[in-house]
Amino acid sequence: MTYSIVARDPQTGHLGIAVASRFFAVGCAVPFIKGRVGAVATQAFVNPTYGPDGLRLLEAGAPPEAIIPILTDRDDGHSNRQFHLIDAQGRNAAFTGAKCVDWCGHLIADGVSVAGNMLEGPAVIGDTLAAYQAAMDKPLAERLLIAMQAGEDAGGDKRGKQSACLMLYRDQDYAWLDIRADDHSDPLAELRRLYAVAQERFLHVAETMATRENPHGMTDRRHIDEKIAALEAERIAAGRTSASQMVNKG
């Protein structure tokens, strides 16, 4: 009961999923990613075990196409399921069960797939994919948001809209960005606002976090504090207001 896009950035190898639905907190059930491994989106009459089990199979070396029958053959309800996945090399596969609610279907292209069910029509996923492919010059997060808005503009979920999620992983076991609008009248607009807020401070701090290669991260915060302060001064000088809804004390 949703539509989603699963992608691997060809320049960086980073993985991302964006999803929107007329369903509460869609981000808690659909997207699953592991850095350097792959990404899985599981939806329709969702079977959330497809996510972690799909990632384990990818990590063990199974190609995405081989994972489809492994997960569906064990599941008596697979005709109600929809899922698509991509591995760290950009290989992808998708499945739409015969009993998914119309309109339903999926599209696969190089390094990206789009799938949806209970949609206004095939233009939802067609326009989502086309918008993604037309924005390859933009950062992955922006590309995914642009793509999802194109799908919404084409009709989106035929019941309406309620929640959305954007999840990105670089090459670590934790998300680089994971933002969600769980119950909102315009969830994709809320994701764009949250992404703007993330760019003010969070994503700069994320660059300092510990990694596999650097287990202590940045321990001297003066450099990042100076960078954030300079960006804040630049924003104020330009007359731009913060996208944040934060409330300060004092």
Side-chain angles (χ1 to χ4, degrees):
M1 299 176 285
T2 183
Y3 70 106
S4 63
I5 181 168
V6 175
R8 174 187 177 273
D9 186 277
Q11 301 300 319
T12 64
H14 299 164
L15 298 161
I17 297 176
V19 55
S21 180
R22 169 58 177 86
F23 188 79
F24 175 71
V26 70
C28 75
V30 171
F32 296 83
I33 308 180
K34 187 170 184 180
R36 299 182 184 176
V37 174
V40 182
T42 174
Q43 54 200 48
F45 193 50
V46 63
N47 184 334
T49 68
Y50 284 13
D53 289 352
L55 291 178
R56 278 192 287 268
L57 289 163
L58 288 174
E59 192 163 24
E65 192 65 42
I67 293 172
I68 299 291
I70 293 173
L71 296 182
T72 56
D73 287 354
R74 72 182 191 187
D75 176 12
D76 290 344
H78 68 268
S79 61
N80 298 294
R81 319 292 189 204
Q82 184 178 58
F83 72 107
H84 51 139
L85 67 164
I86 194 165
D87 68 10
Q89 289 74 51
R91 300 176 297 177
N92 51 11
F95 171 82
T96 299
K99 293 183 180 179
C100 288
V101 180
D102 281 336
W103 189 90
C104 59
H106 58 261
L107 292 172
I108 296 176
D110 186 22
V112 60
S113 60
V114 183
N117 62 95
M118 206 177 282
L119 303 180
E120 284 287 357
V124 177
I125 64 170
D127 288 6
T128 299
L129 178 60
Y132 177 86
Q133 293 174 318
M136 295 301 291
D137 59 326
K138 299 186 182 299
L140 181 58
E142 294 179 26
R143 207 180 314 154
L144 293 170
L145 290 171
I146 289 169
M148 292 299 292
Q149 187 59 52
E152 179 61 39
D153 292 344
D157 187 322
K158 67 182 180 182
R159 300 164 302 168
K161 49 191 176 181
Q162 184 174 10
S163 68
C165 173
L166 173 66
M167 181 185 291
L168 275 76
Y169 274 60
R170 291 189 165 183
D171 58 352
Q172 300 299 310
D173 291 332
Y174 57 83
W176 180 71
L177 181 67
D178 184 354
I179 52 176
R180 306 178 182 196
D182 287 340
D183 184 33
H184 199 278
S185 61
D186 193 348
L188 290 175
E190 177 65 359
L191 283 192
R192 291 193 295 273
R193 185 190 71 82
L194 292 172
Y195 179 57
V197 175
Q199 292 176 85
E200 294 178 11
R201 177 177 294 267
F202 175 81
L203 293 181
H204 303 292
V205 174
E207 298 291 347
T208 74
M209 293 180 180
T211 65
R212 295 187 190 95
E213 295 76 15
N214 179 12
H216 45 263
M218 180 186 291
T219 56
D220 184 349
R221 61 179 294 164
R222 286 177 298 176
H223 174 73
I224 193 64
D225 285 346
E226 290 170 359
K227 181 177 182 179
I228 292 172
L231 289 169
E232 178 74 358
E234 178 183 327
R235 179 185 64 77
I236 292 172
R240 300 192 306 270
T241 59
S242 172
S244 176
Q245 296 177 354
M246 64 182 175
V247 177
N248 291 322
K249 287 187 176 181

